Structures are given as C-alpha cells and as structure tokens.
Amino acid sequence: MSQLRERKHKDREYDIVVFGATSFAGALVTEYLLKHYNQSTLKWTIAGRSSSRLEDVKKRVRQYSVTADELRPIVADSSNKASLDAMTSKTRVIISTVGPFALYGSLLVQSCLENGTDYVDITGEPHWVRKMIDQHNQKAEENGTLFVNMSGFDSIPSDIGTLMVVDHLKKKGAIASEVKSFFVLRETKGGASGGTIASAIEAVESGGLGSMSNPHYLCPSPKSAAAAAPKSKDTLLPFYDDEEKSWTAPFMMAPVNRQVVRRTAALLGEEHGYSQKFQYTEVLSTPNVFVSGVVFVVMIVAGLLLSVSFSRNIIKKFVPAPGTGPTRKIIETGKWATHYIAKGRTPDGREVTVRGRAKGHQDPGYGDTARMLSESAVHLALSRDKCAKGGFRTPAAAYGPTFIDRLRTAGQDWVIE
Ligand SMILES: NC(=O)c1ccc[n+]([C@@H]2O[C@H](COP(=O)([O-])OP(=O)(O)OC[C@H]3O[C@@H](n4cnc5c(N)ncnc54)[C@H](OP(=O)(O)O)[C@@H]3O)[C@@H](O)[C@H]2O)c1
C-alpha cells in the first residue's frame, strides 16, 4: 500500500501546499517558505477558501521575493470535500493552519487519508487529535500516510527537546526514566493571535479542557498507560528545583505538551531510549519566588474566568479578532528558551544525567512556529525515508533525531551540554 502511495506521489504537482495561507500563522509560513525555498528546490503553493484573500497574501509577501508572483493559489473550503480532494491529490504534503481544528479540520484529515497525502498542523486541541486518532490511525498506518499534529511551538520544543536528551542518554548506554523541561521565562517574549485565542475558547466550550488533566490522554491506550505509570510528579504549585537552581511556576501549554511527549514515549519505547516507566514534567523557570507566585495566581484566575460562560463572553469582546496577531516588531524581537534535564540508567544500574538546551530567536507562537511548521513539512517532503512510515505520530516519533539538524540549519539552537 505504501508503495502505491510512493508511485502516486511521483506524479504530484506540488511537494507542499499551505492550506490556510490567509490566516495569521499561514501568512508567516508563506513568508518563511518564500524566503528560504525557491521553486527549483521545492514545489509549493498556497491555498484557502477565498481567491481574493489569497491574492492579497501574495501581494503582501511579494516584498520578500518577487517569486511570490509564481504562486498559483488553490481555492478549497474546509467544508467542501470535493475541493479538498482536488487540493490534496495534487500535493505530497499539506500544511494546515485552518483552526479551530475541531471546527474546520476533520474533512481535510479524511481527504489526506484517502489521497495518501502526508499532513502537518499546529493544532493545540488534544480532544480533536484524540478523535482523529481513534477514527483514522489504523487506516493511516495501513496505507502509509503520516499525520503529525502540534508541529509548532506546541509541542516541538517539548517533544523534540526530550528526544534530543533521550537520544543522547541512549548513546551513553542508558534508558531514560525521566525528563524535566523548563521554559525559561526571562528568555521568552512573544504575543498571541486571535485564532489561537479562538481555538482556546472553542476547546473550553466544547468540553475539551477536561481531557487536559489526563497526561496519558493521547497514548495509544490511555488506560493501560495510566495504570503502568509511576506516581505523577506534575504539580500546579510553584516549587524550587535544586537541579535547575530556579523557582518554577505552571506553564500554560504543559497540559498539552506532556500528552504529546508521553505519546512519543509510548510509540517509540525502549528501542529508542524511553523507559516503560518514563516520567515527564514541564514547568516555567522564573527569576524568583515572587514571579512564580504571580504567574500561579494569574493562571488560576484566568482558568476560572474562562470556565464560567458569563466572564468568558466578556473576555471574548476584548481579545484580538481571528486573522489578527502580534505586531511585526513583537514577532521579530521575540524569543524563547528551554532547558532539559534527563535521567536514565545503564543495564548495570549506573545513573546517567544529560542536560540540553534549545533556543529560538523569534516570537515563539508565530515567527518561530512558522519556522518549525515549515521545516516539519520540508522534512516530510525532502527526507521522507528518515520519517515514520505512517499513522498519527507526534513530531518526535514522526521526524526522528535528524530533524534536530534541520532545525539547527534553520537557525535555532539545539545543544547538549
Ligand atoms: N501550536 C502553535 O504553536 C500555534 C501557534 C499559532 C497558532 N496556532 C493555531 O493555529 C490556528 C490558526 O491560528 P491563526 O491565528 O493563524 O488563525 P486565523 O488568523 O484566525 O485564521 C484562520 C484561518 O482559517 C481559515 N478558514 C476558516 N474557515 C475556513 C473554511 N471553511 N475553509 C477554509 N479555510 C477556512 C481562514 O480563512 P479566511 O482568511 O478566508 O477567513 C483563515 O485562513 C489556530 O487554531 C491556532 O490555535 C498554533
């Protein structure tokens, strides 16, 4: 079946199509591809539901390269299966930034599956990802089509950073029992878009937040993963970490990221260095106890306000509208940094510790998400033999350690200390 997919792929007009190019994130992906990949290296184009809005995107990004004129936009609507099939059957990889994905993403997944087209996105909606896994994973594994959700700031630093330190432990002969990730607050700066806020509100309103309390929610079999797991070290309370030598606070995206990393551990297992009892924790590392306390209180209050429909409706009136996002200055002066501490044991019982660091030099949710998402699709298009065969895979389980070199070449720091 996957040979059939390879034969089909040979005749495809495009390597990559960016679906949702008119979105705030999609326009940045278009800009990134335009700046870094010309059509002789990679055949790619943009797609969306409105021809005139796609032409506007072309005009806006032309300042980065006149080759924008060569883009032939594809018009497709996420509620019209025939238009999606016409698009997915023309390309080897689809990038989707059309969110909220729970509202607009399911028919596209079906279309990619039926047409054997690999797929990457930046959803942060685990309840929708779980639904797609349950409906389509088996067939995707059988026909060799790869689906990789959460290939942006959520959850590449968590998942690929963990892969980096686990892989290094393995090279030292140890199997990883624990990874702690610290998102460094003083080295992080960025903004949020209307689409991201709309997706978060959609998740609350559709009851999707309930799933976030279960770290094993995205594992292949969540119940048996939870039963086999050691007692969780996750906590919302600020604490001082002796190894990081820093105060900590809850990190907003940790509930999603830890589900992704645990799915990776379950998919890759001991063969790739993740112990069956693998533990993962993720927190913010803050400058001092006062900041930790403030972050904790803000998180609790924001969670309460979002969970009550009266306050949620007031919040909706003041947040940025879909289609809008941080200014160019915020995107270009943004940054993020993560530290990793991994622990494992060799077969003769020796404990080994590995430390790693990752750093991005643009706003994490937009400039650097566009970089990570684009490079994910490029990896699938140009290095498919280094990737997983098919199915719903996390970034680490799909792209493998060679993806870290691609991110380094793209300008991010990924370092073992
Ligand atoms: N994981 C991460 O790190 C990360 C970072 C950033 C964003 N995100 C997620 O990415 C998604 C996009 O965010 P954003 O702020 O860029 O969104 P946005 O600007 O609000 O854009 C939404 C996009 O969806 C398109 N769309 C809506 N209905 C459609 C339909 N029926 N058919 C085809 N296209 C349709 C819109 O097209 P029109 O222009 O024609 O209306 C637009 O291109 C959100 O879900 C957000 O949460 C994730």
Side-chain angles (χ1 to χ4, degrees), residues 157-373:
S158 309
D159 200 28
I160 296 292
T162 297
L163 178 75
M164 175 176 74
V165 285
V166 168
D167 193 52
H168 199 74
L169 271 181
K170 189 168 163 270
K171 286 179 184 141
K172 290 179 160 238
I175 298 290
S177 51
E178 178 180 10
V179 170
K180 300 194 285 186
S181 292
F182 301 87
F183 282 74
V184 185
L185 187 59
R186 66 183 174 282
E187 293 183 57
T188 301
K189 207 169 102 189
S193 71
T196 297
I197 295 165
S199 296
I201 291 174
E202 201 290 321
V204 175
E205 292 183 335
S206 62
L209 277 193
S211 64
M212 292 201 191
S213 59
N214 176 5
H216 308 286
Y217 181 68
L218 292 179
C219 285
S221 37
K223 277 193 184 145
S224 46
K231 194 172 172 313
S232 170
K233 293 184 181 175
D234 293 318
T235 173
L236 275 180
L237 293 173
F239 62 93
Y240 184 80
D241 189 279
D242 286 331
E243 289 177 300
E244 175 67 2
K245 299 201 180 343
S246 164
W247 274 92
T248 69
F251 178 46
M252 196 176 53
M253 287 314 295
V256 173
N257 292 335
R258 67 186 180 173
Q259 292 175 341
V260 174
V261 175
R262 280 190 167 85
R263 179 169 171 82
T264 299
L267 290 169
L268 294 182
E270 294 211 350
E271 190 192 337
H272 294 271
Y274 292 81
S275 135
Q276 284 174 359
K277 303 260 181 205
F278 181 75
Q279 282 264 24
Y280 178 76
T281 51
E282 183 172 300
V283 286
L284 271 184
S285 156
T286 72
N288 55 51
V289 63
F290 176 73
V291 176
S292 288
V294 171
V295 173
F296 173 72
V297 171
V298 169
M299 291 275 294
I300 299 293
V301 172
L304 286 174
L305 290 176
L306 272 174
S307 62
V308 177
S309 66
F310 175 72
S311 44
R312 196 165 58 237
N313 287 334
I314 296 175
I315 290 172
K316 276 191 205 169
K317 292 192 180 127
F318 293 100
V319 296
T324 60
T327 61
R328 172 76 31 186
K329 189 172 171 213
I330 292 176
I331 291 173
E332 284 174 359
T333 59
K335 56 184 181 174
W336 60 272
T338 314
H339 298 165
Y340 311 94
I341 302 175
K343 287 196 165 23
R345 272 189 196 285
T346 57
D348 58 9
R350 194 166 43 88
E351 191 175 281
V352 184
T353 301
V354 163
R355 286 171 179 262
R357 278 184 288 118
K359 210 174 210 179
H361 307 280
Q362 278 202 331
D363 165 273
Y366 299 93
D368 250 23
T369 281
R371 184 187 314 270
M372 292 185 269
L373 179 60

Side-chain angles (χ1 to χ4, degrees), residues 101-107 109 125-138 149 202 206 211 217-218 263 392:
F101 290 80
L103 297 182
Y104 306 126
S106 304
L107 263 189
V109 166
E125 300 159 54
H127 61 301
W128 176 71
V129 174
R130 181 74 255 174
K131 191 170 145 196
M132 293 298 101
I133 292 172
D134 292 342
Q135 284 180 3
H136 301 302
N137 184 56
Q138 192 178 340
N149 307 109
E202 201 290 321
S206 62
S211 64
Y217 181 68
L218 292 179
R263 179 169 171 82
F392 281 72

Side-chain angles (χ1 to χ4, degrees), residues 156-157 336 358-361 367-369 371-372 404 406-414:
I156 282 193
W336 60 272
K359 210 174 210 179
H361 307 280
D368 250 23
T369 281
R371 184 187 314 270
M372 292 185 269
I404 300 170
R406 191 175 285 288
L407 292 175
R408 286 183 184 124
T409 308
Q412 292 183 340
D413 305 338
W414 293 84

Side-chain angles (χ1 to χ4, degrees), residues 19-26 48-50 53 76-79 97-101 104 122-123 125 152-154 193-196 199 322-324 365-366 369:
F19 183 52
T22 58
S23 67
F24 193 78
R49 63 177 162 172
S50 155
R53 280 199 288 272
D77 190 296
S78 64
S79 59
T97 58
V98 176
F101 290 80
Y104 306 126
I122 47 169
T123 181
E125 300 159 54
F153 185 59
D154 323 319
S193 71
T196 297
S199 296
T324 60
Y366 299 93
T369 281

